[in-house]
Amino acid sequence: MRVCIVAENHPLAAMGGAEYQIQLICDELLRRPGVELHYLARKVPAESSAARLPYPIHCIGSDRGIRRRATFFDAPRLAAKLEELRPDVIYQRMKQSYTAVCARHANRRSIPFFFHVASMMDLDMDLLRGGWSPNTPFDVVETWLGNRGLRQAPAVFAQTAAQARILRERTGRDATAVIGNFQPLPDRLPPPAEGPPWRVLWVGNLKEVKRPERFLDLADRFRGRDDFIFEMVGRPWANRRMVPVMSRIESAPNLVYHGELPLQAVNELMTTATFHVNTSAFEGFPNTFIQAWSRGAVVISLEVDPFEGIEQVGVGFRAGSIGRMAELLDSLVADRQRWLQLREQSFRYVQVAHSLSQAGRLVDMLIDSAVAARSAIRT
């Protein structure tokens, strides 16, 4: 059985939350007998790195010159490669022009194609967002193609029940299944911190949607206090609008900036963190929440709430403001029993909902669907 993974980036070329999830799916697929895996991407690793992988990587485009403005430039190469490979099933994550190409190929060949929502932006069906910029014409075409692909994809996975509801409201279609993000999880919680300094950890690439400046605003409220340490992890973003943010990071007296770190190092920091703070404007299902829940860092989010009721679930807080974030930090270190209870509740939840068994469930659906499609063609 031939499975094609389609993505803008291969994890060895550019690692983010979506790429990490796809890497775990690839690992699960490779454990299945009879699966022939192919990875199609625009940004691919060097040949020396790719040669060590147990599956072939196919470059379907380039981000050089004007092509960096949109992925629809890759459409002819992607379509041709799918025709050449003739996959039994296609999996693609993150709405873009690739979604339309994959949906068209799947519908023409009567094979299953699974699109997986990667963030709330994937469910925004508006063609024009924000103000005008030189990239707006490219963005409109890219969004139009992505919307078309979302509507025509034979199967759609949502990450949360909230996403499934929004998908139904905006497209009139139901999610094939709700499959949240997953990770390898530790067997037990690390021992809780016994006292100050309390460590507050922020993790994410330093780009506008992550709003790192809001975390700096939070750290500013604790200047002059030695009972809290604020830490940041993430790759600096090559954007002039991030220059003032980097300047603030470098000058903050109560903040440690670790730069970009490998996954294992981030997990180690989570085991020593008292809190994990998220300041993003929007996300799908943050992988960092799973890292925090499974390692004892209580989650406090400014806006992102994948449950539309994170406090009711008992695995963290949606603060809504920097002021309430600061109040929560102080109140939770003052009420140790409540903090310990949140750690334990979060750990129990993540073991049930976000273990690698979810990757197995996803892969089972890919394979079963491909088998069913083959049988239908024969009959």
Side-chain angles (χ1 to χ4, degrees), residues 325-344:
M325 269 190 163
E327 291 170 3
L328 284 166
L329 293 179
D330 272 327
S331 65
L332 287 168
V333 297
D335 188 346
R336 182 173 177 81
Q337 284 306 118
R338 188 184 183 202
W339 176 69
L340 290 172
Q341 181 183 20
L342 284 164
R343 292 176 90 242
E344 291 161 3

Side-chain angles (χ1 to χ4, degrees), residues 34-47:
V35 168
E36 178 188 333
L37 177 62
H38 293 257
Y39 200 115
L40 287 63
R42 162 184 272 203
K43 188 173 288 188
V44 299
E47 288 186 15

Side-chain angles (χ1 to χ4, degrees), residues 211-230:
R211 301 194 299 191
E213 70 279 1
R214 303 299 285 144
F215 184 68
L216 297 173
D217 294 341
L218 179 65
D220 279 344
R221 289 178 176 250
F222 289 81
R223 281 188 181 229
R225 293 176 53 172
D226 58 7
D227 54 338
F228 281 90
I229 295 176
F230 293 81

Side-chain angles (χ1 to χ4, degrees), residues 32-313:
R32 303 302 180 93
V35 168
E36 178 188 333
L37 177 62
H38 293 257
Y39 200 115
L40 287 63
R42 162 184 272 203
K43 188 173 288 188
V44 299
E47 288 186 15
S48 58
S49 297
R52 296 194 294 268
L53 294 170
Y55 57 84
I57 300 175
H58 307 273
C59 182
I60 55 170
S62 168
D63 59 359
R64 295 179 181 175
I66 196 172
R67 291 175 174 271
R68 67 180 171 79
R69 294 182 177 272
T71 62
F72 62 73
F73 291 106
D74 305 339
R77 288 176 67 177
L78 172 57
K81 184 56 67 174
L82 290 172
E83 282 295 319
E84 175 191 330
L85 292 173
R86 296 291 183 93
D88 296 294
V89 59
I90 304 169
Y91 175 88
Q92 190 257 328
R93 197 177 186 106
M94 191 160 54
K95 187 181 75 176
Q96 55 193 165
S97 58
Y98 296 171
T99 314
V101 177
C102 293
R104 182 174 184 272
H105 179 90
N107 290 327
R108 283 178 62 243
R109 293 291 178 184
S110 298
I111 64 166
F113 162 48
F114 289 82
F115 170 73
H116 204 151
V117 176
S119 80
M120 294 302 288
M121 282 297 292
D122 285 351
L123 301 175
D124 184 345
M125 308 301 285
D126 293 338
L127 291 182
L128 188 61
R129 307 186 190 107
W132 179 268
S133 77
N135 216 64
T136 297
F138 300 91
D139 293 340
V140 169
V141 175
E142 189 76 19
T143 302
W144 181 82
L145 287 168
N147 290 348
R148 181 177 179 180
L150 176 60
R151 290 190 171 98
Q152 295 180 349
V156 177
F157 290 145
Q159 295 172 303
T160 66
Q163 288 180 359
R165 175 182 57 78
I166 294 169
L167 175 71
R168 188 182 309 111
E169 291 171 354
R170 296 181 182 176
T171 69
R173 65 176 301 167
D174 291 322
T176 306
V178 175
I179 300 182
N181 287 1
F182 36 78
Q183 293 178 22
L185 301 175
D187 295 330
R188 60 182 63 86
L189 275 171
E194 293 299 329
W198 313 109
R199 310 181 79 91
V200 185
L201 180 62
W202 184 99
V203 180
N205 292 329
L206 275 68
K207 54 185 178 181
E208 289 176 280
V209 69
K210 300 291 187 179
R211 301 194 299 191
E213 70 279 1
R214 303 299 285 144
F215 184 68
L216 297 173
D217 294 341
L218 179 65
D220 279 344
R221 289 178 176 250
F222 289 81
R223 281 188 181 229
R225 293 176 53 172
D226 58 7
D227 54 338
F228 281 90
I229 295 176
F230 293 81
E231 300 179 77
M232 296 186 79
V233 175
R235 181 172 64 247
W237 203 251
N239 187 311
R240 65 179 181 275
R241 288 190 289 271
M242 285 291 106
V243 171
V245 175
M246 292 305 301
S247 178
R248 287 184 65 188
I249 289 172
E250 292 166 2
S251 62
N254 59 341
L255 185 141
V256 178
Y257 175 51
H258 297 279
E260 185 177 15
L261 293 176
L263 180 65
Q264 183 56 40
V266 176
N267 285 337
E268 289 171 4
L269 282 175
M270 282 291 187
T271 65
T272 64
T274 317
F275 301 98
H276 167 55
V277 166
N278 180 290
T279 56
S280 297
F282 60 85
E283 294 204 29
F285 203 112
N287 287 307
T288 56
F289 282 17
I290 301 173
Q291 291 171 282
W293 289 329
S294 60
R295 291 169 177 84
V298 170
V299 170
I300 302 179
S301 175
L302 185 59
E303 299 290 349
V304 172
D305 181 353
F307 308 101
E308 295 186 319
I310 190 171
E311 297 186 34
Q312 286 70 38
V313 177

